[in-house]
Amino acid sequence: MSAAPFVAAAGELRDNPGQWAAYESEGNCVVLAGPGAGKTKTITIKIARLLCESVSKPQRLACITYSNACVGELKARLRKLGLADDDRLVISTVHSFCLTELVLPYARLAGVRVPDPLVVASPSQSTDVFRKAYAKVHGGQPPKWYRTEFDKLRRTVLDRGGKKWKHWPLKETKVVETYEAMLFDGGLIDFDGLVLAGLELVEKHEWVRDCIRAKFPVMVIDEYQDLGVPLHRMVVTLMDDAGIRIIAVGDPDQSIYGFTGAKPALLRKLSEIPGVEAIGLKLNYRCADQIITASRALLPEPQDFESHDGRQGEILIHKLECDVGDQAAYALRKIVPGLLEQNSGWKCGDIAFLYRSLKEGSAIAEAADHLGIPYFRLDNGAPVKRSRLTEWLTDAAKWCAGGWKSGTVSLGQLLKTWKAMRRSLTREKDALHERARLISTLFSYRDGAVPLGKWLLALSDAVLHAACEQEPGLADEKDNLAALLAAADTGGALGSYSIETFGNQGRSADLINLITLHSSKGLEFEAVIMVGLEEGVFPSNYDNTEEKRQEASRLFYVGVTRAKRLVHLTYGFNESPFITAIQLAVR
């Protein structure tokens, strides 16, 4: 009998002490992994081993991560290990896990206050209720910055009757309380409400913890530094009070979602709990030496990482004395052609423009449009929003565009994920009827050249429209589906897309990448270009506290460490202090 695929893959971890220690760990552990340290490879091989040795049916393993994009990456890696279809494995975002594994099965039994029937608010519904709540408390419309601070308050000060909540300014807590009451009265719950309800179930009900322990003896949490206070409290409670084995992976230095309530100190705090083994991954497989040296200068307490192969690399800084649009034009006319000329094996897709906000992205896109340079764009100006539904559609497109033949995406995995999204379809006859419609539609469109719009309309008629209308957990996807259909229509932003193009999420080796720094995490490129790096812009004048300034520094760090070999940094007149720090480090 041949060994399981993960056994051969595990052999590749032996030469890396940190990776092998994580693979061999037998209890609770925290894996602290820097950029390019191979953490996804390590954790997916570890998951494969756990499924083989520690989880037996009917038990399952839960893997919780930050975003739908992270879910997709983990599934793709596990697919290569032959495990994507394993029904003992649940991979989901924290919101999805709280909805499907906590709130839906246990909230009513435990008397937790959630709407019945439970319907998840769409983003537009949430925004509408928020504005009404603010107007009811303060009158008028909320300032643009208020929603971010409102969300952060809900995600970090969790105990509504606690001292901290009572001592918080009444004008802020009152808006939260009014918003939550109005949501409930409207028969809705939002994503944060799902997590708060999940936390209440875990912390206050021993029998819920026992149920979770019986189902999930092991839980893996990826990108831990991004997941915030509620999940941290859940994890500690499940580990200490329920005896669930916890394996957490992340990098505090890449914590860049403070505006959502993420706190980088939580991962270190977890690693310091007695009985938790802390394992560091020290080798960087991505970045050349000079990039590692430069990136460490951006952190107050840099970790001791080193390149695995001693490549030198280079960071080049350009003072251009012009605005960000002209800097982008310069980079597209001079830097990009130079990189392609000097590196004959590179294509445009090996180069990425990384930036902080939509404003910079639009300036770069405008310059590229003017020069006739095609690009892939991933920011709020991108036509496709990443969500559970669009991630599933991406996989379905890959299957239709040839994955059915190559095995890169399996029909079984598509059907399993669809079934998980259609939990309310409890009558077997109805579920089988919908499954047949879905399979028939997918088989009818096994051609990557078919226009995206035609394919989406067929799927919408077959299953998507009904699912978004009928499924409480997909209510938030109505707007996403409508926007996607409009974008794929003739003349829309995706009007020229085929099924295959969509399956590649619009990316191509022949397109320059335009990506926000937040969206770039987990990606890598031969060269990175960052423009508009002015004092007062990055860090911005709004980074006016030590906490915000440190997060801005970590964001810059994430950008620099996306590059394997080369980094180009441009500014107009007054260089960012981050550039100053890098210059001092690499002299």
Side-chain angles (χ1 to χ4, degrees):
M1 179 182 290
S2 61
F6 83 87
V7 175
E12 300 174 11
L13 306 180
R14 283 185 176 274
D15 293 335
N16 184 313
Q19 290 181 342
W20 188 251
Y23 178 74
E24 289 281 86
S25 66
E26 297 181 349
N28 299 315
C29 76
V30 169
V31 180
L32 299 163
K39 67 100 176 168
T40 305
K41 174 182 178 179
T42 303
I43 201 61
T44 49
I45 295 173
K46 178 69 172 180
I47 287 171
R49 184 176 189 178
L50 290 167
L51 287 171
C52 180
E53 299 177 359
S54 304
V55 179
S56 302
K57 287 185 177 181
Q59 292 180 322
R60 306 169 83 183
L61 183 150
C63 180
I64 301 171
T65 188
Y66 178 72
S67 67
N68 289 294
C70 295
V71 169
E73 172 66 14
L74 287 167
K75 286 181 176 179
R77 294 292 189 101
L78 287 163
R79 192 176 294 129
K80 293 178 180 178
L81 295 174
L83 292 169
D85 296 327
D86 197 311
D87 58 10
R88 294 172 300 151
L89 180 61
V90 173
I91 307 175
S92 67
T93 64
V94 62
H95 302 106
S96 180
F97 183 84
C98 287
L99 172 66
T100 60
E101 306 299 337
L102 291 172
V103 178
L104 283 175
Y106 304 126
R108 289 180 63 191
L109 293 172
V112 172
R113 190 172 182 266
V114 296
D116 184 17
L118 189 144
V119 178
V120 180
S122 69
S124 59
Q125 288 174 316
S126 173
T127 298
D128 182 55
V129 174
F130 164 71
R131 288 174 176 164
K132 289 177 179 176
Y134 182 91
K136 187 173 182 179
V137 175
H138 296 294
Q141 291 298 308
K144 289 183 178 180
W145 54 266
Y146 193 93
R147 182 62 192 260
T148 299
E149 296 303 315
F150 165 90
D151 288 338
K152 189 173 180 180
L153 172 60
R154 289 185 72 207
R155 295 163 182 166
T156 55
V157 185
L158 308 181
D159 301 313
R160 295 293 188 262
K163 281 185 178 181
K164 195 170 182 181
W165 184 262
K166 290 179 179 178
H167 287 114
W168 208 268
L170 182 62
K171 63 181 181 180
E172 297 179 24
T173 57
K174 188 65 175 175
V175 177
V176 171
E177 291 167 350
T178 303
Y179 168 82
E180 291 177 342
M182 291 176 74
L183 266 185
F184 184 83
D185 291 343
L188 300 170
I189 189 170
D190 67 359
F191 285 123
D192 288 332
L194 288 172
V195 177
L196 294 173
L199 177 62
E200 182 179 347
L201 285 163
V202 167
E203 287 191 330
K204 294 184 178 181
H205 300 278
E206 181 181 0
W207 65 269
V208 172
R209 296 195 293 271
D210 290 342
C211 288
I212 297 300
R213 169 66 177 80
K215 189 173 185 179
F216 299 109
V218 183
M219 296 181 72
V220 176
I221 302 94
D222 186 32
E223 301 292 357
Y224 195 94
Q225 76 283 346
D226 294 331
L227 291 170
V229 177
L231 183 76
H232 177 71
R233 282 177 38 174
M234 277 190 228
V235 165
V236 173
T237 301
L238 290 171
M239 182 175 69
D240 288 348
D241 296 348
I244 292 177
R245 181 179 174 188
I246 297 294
I247 300 167
V249 188
D251 179 9
D253 294 331
Q254 294 188 73
S255 179
I256 56 175
Y257 295 99
F259 59 91
T260 69
K263 293 183 177 292
L266 295 177
L267 182 58
R268 290 196 176 96
K269 188 175 180 180
L270 182 68
S271 73
E272 294 166 359
I273 293 176
V276 176
E277 181 183 10
I279 300 169
L281 303 187
K282 301 295 186 182
L283 289 178
N284 185 320
Y285 290 89
R286 178 190 303 147
C287 304
D289 282 336
Q290 190 170 99
I291 295 172
I292 294 173
T293 299
S295 67
R296 295 178 80 248
L298 298 166
L299 304 173
E301 298 179 9
Q303 300 297 307
D304 185 22
F305 299 118
E306 59 185 67
S307 171
H308 85 290
D309 61 3
R311 287 174 293 121
Q312 181 60 27
E314 191 172 13
I315 292 186
L316 298 168
I317 297 169
H318 310 261
K319 181 178 181 180
L320 299 178
E321 298 188 350
C322 57
D323 64 21
V324 66
D326 287 336
Q327 291 174 46
Y330 172 86
L332 289 164
R333 287 197 315 266
K334 301 290 186 182
I335 297 175
V336 170
L339 290 171
L340 296 175
E341 184 178 341
Q342 294 161 19
N343 301 278
S344 58
W346 291 13
K347 292 189 175 182
C348 288
D350 292 313
I351 303 167
F353 281 80
L354 304 182
Y355 43 90
R356 191 170 191 181
S357 73
L358 178 63
K359 180 180 179 181
E360 287 84 23
S362 296
I364 300 166
E366 184 177 345
D369 289 338
H370 181 73
L371 294 168
I373 297 174
Y375 53 84
F376 162 77
R377 187 173 180 182
L378 184 56
D379 59 21
N380 286 337
V384 181
K385 182 180 178 181
R386 305 293 285 272
S387 70
R388 284 179 300 154
L389 183 61
T390 56
E391 288 292 329
W392 181 86
L393 284 168
T394 299
D395 280 344
K398 290 177 181 176
W399 186 87
C400 288
W404 63 273
K405 189 188 307 181
S406 66
T408 54
V409 179
S410 74
L411 182 62
Q413 179 60 33
L414 288 174
L415 296 175
K416 176 187 172 184
T417 305
W418 181 257
K419 182 180 179 181
M421 290 194 290
R422 290 291 270 137
R423 288 178 65 95
S424 69
L425 209 60
T426 53
R427 290 180 56 193
E428 185 176 4
K429 179 180 178 181
D430 294 339
L432 289 174
H433 183 58
E434 182 176 273
R435 177 188 174 98
R437 291 200 308 272
L438 175 57
I439 293 173
S440 175
T441 306
L442 290 174
F443 269 84
S444 296
Y445 286 89
R446 288 186 299 169
D447 180 354
V450 170
L452 173 64
K454 182 178 180 180
W455 180 73
L456 285 173
L457 282 173
L459 278 173
S460 183
D461 290 342
V463 295
L464 297 181
H465 179 74
C468 288
E469 289 294 328
Q470 300 167 6
E471 188 69 38
L474 290 178
D476 61 298
E477 297 283 5
K478 290 181 186 178
D479 293 348
N480 295 332
L481 178 60
L484 191 56
L485 286 167
D489 200 1
T490 304
L494 306 181
S496 63
Y497 273 35
S498 64
I499 294 176
E500 184 174 18
T501 308
F502 182 75
N504 291 329
Q505 297 178 337
R507 295 184 66 178
S508 164
D510 298 320
L511 301 178
I512 293 285
N513 296 285
L514 277 57
I515 306 177
T516 61
L517 288 158
H518 284 96
S519 298
S520 74
K521 198 146 75 78
L523 303 179
E524 62 182 25
F525 306 92
E526 295 292 345
V528 159
I529 302 169
M530 296 169 64
V531 300
L533 305 178
E534 308 287 325
E535 170 71 48
V537 175
F538 200 178
S540 77
N541 294 325
Y542 294 103
D543 296 318
N544 51 11
T545 66
E546 185 60 25
E547 180 183 5
K548 290 180 179 178
R549 192 174 181 85
Q550 286 186 7
E551 179 157 312
S553 184
R554 293 194 296 270
L555 189 59
F556 204 103
Y557 171 81
V558 165
V560 170
T561 55
R562 298 311 92 198
K564 296 179 182 180
R565 300 177 184 275
L566 291 164
V567 177
H568 286 264
L569 308 174
T570 80
Y571 68 99
F573 301 94
N574 301 306
E575 69 184 26
S576 163
F578 298 148
I579 287 184
T580 305
I582 286 175
Q583 285 177 321
L584 292 172
V586 299
R587 279 178 181 169

